[in-house]
Amino acid sequence: MYVTFHGATREVTGSFHTVDTGNDRIVLDCGLFQGKRKEAEAKNRVLAVDPKGITNLVLSHAHLDHSGRIPMVVKEGFAGGVFCTRATASACEYLLRDSAKIQEGDASYLNYKTARNFMAKLKTGGKTKVSREEMAEIKAMLKKGEHRLNSEAIVDLLHEHQLEVVTPLYSMEDAEDSLSHFHGVPYESSTVIGDNLSCTFYDAGHILGSAMVVLSKSNGSTTKNIMFSGDIGRFNKPIINDPELNFAGEHQDIDLLIMESTYGNRQHEPVQDMKPMLKKVLQETFARGGSVLIPAFAFGRTQEIIYYLHELYMAGEVQRVPVYVDSPLATNITHVFGEHPETYDDDTHETFLENGLNPFNFQHLKFVQTVEESMALNRDTRSHIVIAGSGMCEGGRILHHLRHKIHNDRNTVLIVGYMGTNTFGRQIQEKAEEFESGGRKGLPPMVRFYNKEYPLKAKVVTLGGFSAHGDREELYRVLTESNLKIKKIALVHGEEDQAFSFRDFLSDKGFDVLVPYQGQTIHIS
């Protein structure tokens, strides 16, 4: 067998690997690259392999950096199945549709800007600035009413004048088509995915439905096992089970482990400290008369925050201010959590289900449905909590809330997850850390978004322990406390400083480890 690493190599996005057996080509994950728009766009447009030549696709979990290009490969001719856990299949129904909607919306807006600027130059001959009245006239020609773009007329205009037309990676129709390829299977149940080739999912403890996958290839009396960790979660976190440590006998001997390394050189705060630390942030912010903004991924982090807030509110440990989940996607995904109680851990059953309570619904929690409701929150001067996407502040409704609250030192921006390199969330995080280290003296740093600069006066707090990724010690625990016998490890899904540091750490412990480069192939003989 040959394993080739095409994505999430020495970076934490765009997970995509292939396993070639001679008879079959299996793809492990099919994720979107995320980061700077132009760089991500260029990477996402290029598929490492011909989709028509893929036998089947195995998906570790539903996050878009692992699943987000599935509609694209289906669009380009992939005819096989997408095998994953049942909860992952349920979540992808919402995540892939939402991704398509964003793709279409971004393309429409970029085309609108091109058309608007072209028409403005026509109006003035490119010599003077277009007047407000002229711009209103241009916009009226390119829009249907106040808020809807006339996409068809815009594209016709761009084609007529041979201007660049931006197309989405895939459409809503493509996303819908891709969902028919999904096969949800139970944990620890082997499924045939090729000639003498099977896959088995084990709980990864990362998000609802996340899995470590063992591919087993039989050849006469011998079997070769490749294990793909996907993203490995933390131990003792609420809601879902811990990462699995007890593997079936036929899956204990691993010829190659493809393992994530997102936090290969870091140690998180203990899980048991998370609720007290969250409580402290809330109390301090409410004492200042401020509000708390939480940029959070719709899948996983949002539900975890809701869970902790529910516990704090039940115990009366913090002021019961309104909690708003301002993300249609997060609202839908929270419903998915409610549909899969079989994935919950014992504590969730004991605290909530056995008492007839829904962990993801309580009196002060409100799911924001409309844009108008979201905008109204920006005018609310009372203390409240807003949980909104996107998790790395690269887009979504969180930016609108930041625009209205980031310049007020009563408020807090609470960062509860990983902020990738070059993301706006990382910029906020780093500038705030520098300001705090200087004692918040002098002028606050400026951040630019929506074509305007804002002073970063709000307090920014990072609680790394909320991460859904295991830290170095937790990743090592999977290697040493499980019943696995591992011949070789390939570290993926980690920026270079994390991956190489973790490689050195594991090498010192006696493991055979490499950090593959993009396009590198390993032969499993």
Side-chain angles (χ1 to χ4, degrees):
M1 287 192 292
Y2 294 88
V3 178
T4 306
F5 306 92
H6 298 289
T9 51
R10 307 187 183 190
E11 59 183 343
V12 293
T13 186
S15 183
F16 191 109
H17 316 289
T18 57
V19 178
D20 290 284
T21 68
N23 296 321
D24 298 290
R25 170 172 283 172
I26 305 299
V27 169
L28 302 174
D29 282 354
C30 190
L32 280 171
F33 291 93
Q34 298 167 318
K36 288 184 176 179
R37 181 188 290 273
K38 287 187 177 180
E39 180 184 357
E41 172 76 7
K43 287 183 175 181
N44 284 323
R45 292 280 177 187
V46 179
L47 290 169
V49 298
D50 181 0
K52 297 183 183 69
I54 301 171
T55 308
N56 285 304
L57 194 153
V58 176
L59 178 60
S60 65
H61 65 285
H63 276 154
L64 288 177
D65 61 327
H66 295 258
S67 69
R69 285 200 290 175
I70 291 174
M72 187 176 173
V73 298
V74 171
K75 173 184 175 182
E76 297 296 328
F78 170 63
V82 178
F83 292 87
C84 58
T85 67
R86 290 170 175 170
T88 293
S90 296
C92 281
E93 290 185 24
Y94 295 106
L95 286 162
L96 295 182
R97 288 182 179 122
D98 186 73
S99 177
K101 182 179 178 181
I102 291 170
Q103 300 277 346
E104 291 180 330
D106 285 351
S108 292
Y109 181 68
L110 291 172
N111 289 332
Y112 163 71
K113 283 180 64 177
T114 301
R116 185 189 65 191
N117 293 341
F118 172 74
M119 292 183 70
K121 287 181 181 179
L122 286 182
K123 281 277 187 185
T124 64
K127 297 178 181 178
T128 60
K129 187 176 180 180
V130 66
S131 69
R132 182 176 298 179
E133 292 76 16
E134 289 171 326
M135 182 56 73
E137 182 183 338
I138 291 169
K139 288 181 178 180
M141 293 174 62
L142 301 177
K143 288 187 175 184
K144 294 179 178 179
E146 184 67 23
H147 301 293
R148 288 182 59 210
L149 297 177
N150 190 342
S151 298
E152 191 174 311
I154 291 169
V155 170
D156 287 344
L157 175 71
L158 298 181
H159 281 310
E160 180 184 349
H161 294 279
Q162 298 181 330
L163 298 170
E164 180 184 5
V165 177
V166 177
T167 57
L169 290 174
Y170 49 84
S171 66
M172 182 67 76
E173 182 180 356
D174 297 325
E176 294 286 353
D177 288 345
S178 73
L179 295 175
S180 66
H181 291 253
F182 276 72
H183 301 278
V185 298
Y187 283 115
E188 301 184 28
S189 175
S190 293
T191 303
V192 175
I193 59 170
D195 185 21
N196 293 317
L197 183 66
S198 65
C199 73
T200 308
F201 296 97
Y202 290 91
D203 203 327
H206 172 60
I207 59 171
L208 191 83
S210 62
M212 297 178 274
V213 188
V214 177
L215 298 187
S216 299
K217 172 66 175 175
S218 298
N219 186 13
S221 60
T222 63
T223 298
K224 294 293 182 181
N225 289 323
I226 296 171
M227 182 173 175
F228 176 45
S229 76
D231 289 350
I232 297 174
R234 303 201 63 193
F235 288 84
N236 303 315
K237 289 194 77 175
I239 308 173
I240 60 175
N241 291 307
D242 289 349
E244 184 61 65
L245 299 176
N246 186 30
F247 296 83
E250 64 269 25
H251 298 144
Q252 291 177 15
D253 293 317
I254 302 298
D255 294 278
L256 175 67
L257 167 60
I258 305 168
M259 187 179 196
E260 75 131 315
S261 57
T262 310
Y263 288 118
N265 191 29
R266 296 187 195 175
Q267 189 166 349
H268 297 318
E269 296 96 338
V271 169
Q272 57 267 31
D273 291 347
M274 286 300 95
K275 190 163 65 171
M277 293 172 75
L278 174 61
K279 172 183 172 181
K280 182 173 183 288
V281 171
L282 298 178
Q283 288 177 331
E284 290 177 350
T285 305
F286 300 154
R288 297 193 300 266
S291 294
V292 178
L293 302 183
I294 308 177
F297 290 109
F299 190 10
R301 200 64 40 78
T302 292
Q303 291 75 30
E304 188 178 353
I305 295 296
I306 291 172
Y307 184 99
Y308 277 126
L309 290 174
H310 195 168
E311 287 192 320
L312 289 171
Y313 277 38
M314 278 199 306
E317 295 184 50
V318 295
Q319 182 182 343
R320 295 187 179 98
V321 305
V323 179
Y324 298 99
V325 176
D326 192 8
S327 164
L329 177 59
T331 299
N332 288 327
I333 292 297
T334 303
H335 293 326
V336 173
F337 270 75
E339 293 166 358
H340 290 276
E342 75 278 3
T343 64
Y344 297 169
D345 62 14
D346 292 340
D347 288 343
T348 304
H349 278 275
E350 292 171 8
T351 304
F352 292 100
L353 299 192
E354 292 178 11
N355 292 302
L357 298 174
N358 181 342
F360 309 109
N361 193 20
F362 54 96
Q363 181 181 351
H364 298 83
L365 177 67
K366 304 179 188 303
F367 291 93
V368 177
Q369 299 295 331
T370 66
V371 173
E372 290 73 21
E373 287 178 278
S374 178
M375 293 171 64
L377 281 180
N378 296 322
R379 300 188 293 271
D380 191 344
T381 58
R382 301 170 299 169
S383 291
H384 57 266
I385 300 168
V386 176
I387 307 168
S390 70
M392 296 189 189
C393 303
E394 281 293 282
R397 294 185 181 181
I398 190 63
L399 293 180
H400 295 280
H401 296 293
L402 288 171
R403 183 160 61 98
H404 287 84
K405 292 185 170 66
I406 202 168
H407 50 76
N408 189 326
D409 58 11
R410 294 181 304 166
N411 300 323
T412 298
V413 179
L414 179 59
I415 294 176
V416 294
Y418 180 78
M419 295 294 177
T421 303
N422 298 320
T423 62
F424 185 53
R426 175 73 72 90
Q427 183 187 147
I428 291 173
Q429 193 175 34
E430 291 178 346
K431 288 192 173 187
E433 286 174 358
E434 185 177 351
F435 190 40
E436 289 289 341
S437 66
R440 295 179 67 89
K441 295 179 181 178
L443 295 175
M446 303 297 289
V447 291
R448 184 176 181 81
F449 60 111
Y450 285 145
N451 296 318
K452 186 177 178 181
E453 290 197 331
Y454 298 85
L456 179 51
K457 292 183 179 179
K459 192 171 181 64
V460 179
V461 179
T462 299
L463 297 183
F466 276 106
S467 174
H469 292 267
D471 61 18
R472 188 185 73 179
E473 299 307 316
E474 288 166 313
L475 295 175
Y476 184 57
R477 181 176 174 182
V478 171
L479 299 177
T480 57
E481 294 188 18
S482 71
N483 57 356
L484 296 174
K485 302 168 189 174
I486 302 163
K487 291 183 181 178
K488 193 178 192 69
I489 300 173
L491 297 178
V492 297
H493 206 284
E495 292 176 0
E496 288 191 346
D497 59 335
Q498 300 295 319
F500 282 104
S501 177
F502 194 39
R503 178 202 63 182
D504 295 343
F505 172 80
L506 293 179
S507 295
D508 289 343
K509 303 293 185 182
F511 289 94
D512 181 5
V513 191
L514 80 155
V515 180
Y517 54 81
Q518 186 172 353
Q520 184 173 351
T521 298
I522 296 177
H523 181 212
I524 309 298
S525 58

